[in-house]
Amino acid sequence: MAENKHYKPTYTPEEAEECFSWLEQHIDELPSALRLSPSINIPDVRSTVTTFIRKMRLQMGKKPIFAGQFAVLLMIREHAQGLLKPKE
């Protein structure tokens, strides 16, 4: 199971946008559900990713409470990168 090694109190706008862009480009290839750890189960990955990105683009710079949610997006991306087949 994945460990949340991505959390930090703040992220740069560049870090956030790079992750958001990658996830948006690969949204159709993400698994439908994902268990990242015993305590992190995401029953609808695509909806979760879309909702998190939309909310974070509006609020992330203003409210550091979104840092935990961003760390989850980083975990989803890391997991998905191991699952996705390279595009030819």
Side-chain angles (χ1 to χ4, degrees):
M1 295 294 166
E3 178 183 328
N4 191 343
K5 61 183 179 234
H6 300 292
Y7 177 81
K8 59 184 184 177
T10 59
Y11 297 90
T12 67
E14 295 79 19
E15 287 174 302
E17 194 52 44
E18 190 275 328
C19 180
F20 297 162
S21 294
W22 190 94
L23 288 165
E24 288 170 334
Q25 290 172 4
H26 296 90
I27 194 78
D28 293 332
E29 301 168 71
L30 297 176
S32 58
L34 185 60
R35 179 174 294 281
L36 293 171
S37 74
S39 62
I40 302 175
N41 182 46
I42 305 169
D44 187 342
V45 174
R46 294 173 191 132
S47 176
T48 299
V49 165
T50 301
T51 300
F52 277 18
I53 290 172
R54 182 175 36 82
K55 287 181 179 182
M56 283 185 246
R57 278 197 168 123
L58 294 172
Q59 298 293 328
M60 194 169 184
K62 301 172 193 169
K63 298 182 181 184
I65 60 171
F66 289 102
Q69 289 178 330
F70 185 68
V72 171
L73 287 181
L74 291 171
M75 292 171 67
I76 291 169
R77 181 182 66 171
E78 182 179 83
H79 182 79
Q81 286 173 326
L83 293 177
L84 296 176
K85 296 175 185 164
K87 299 234 185 221
E88 296 183 20

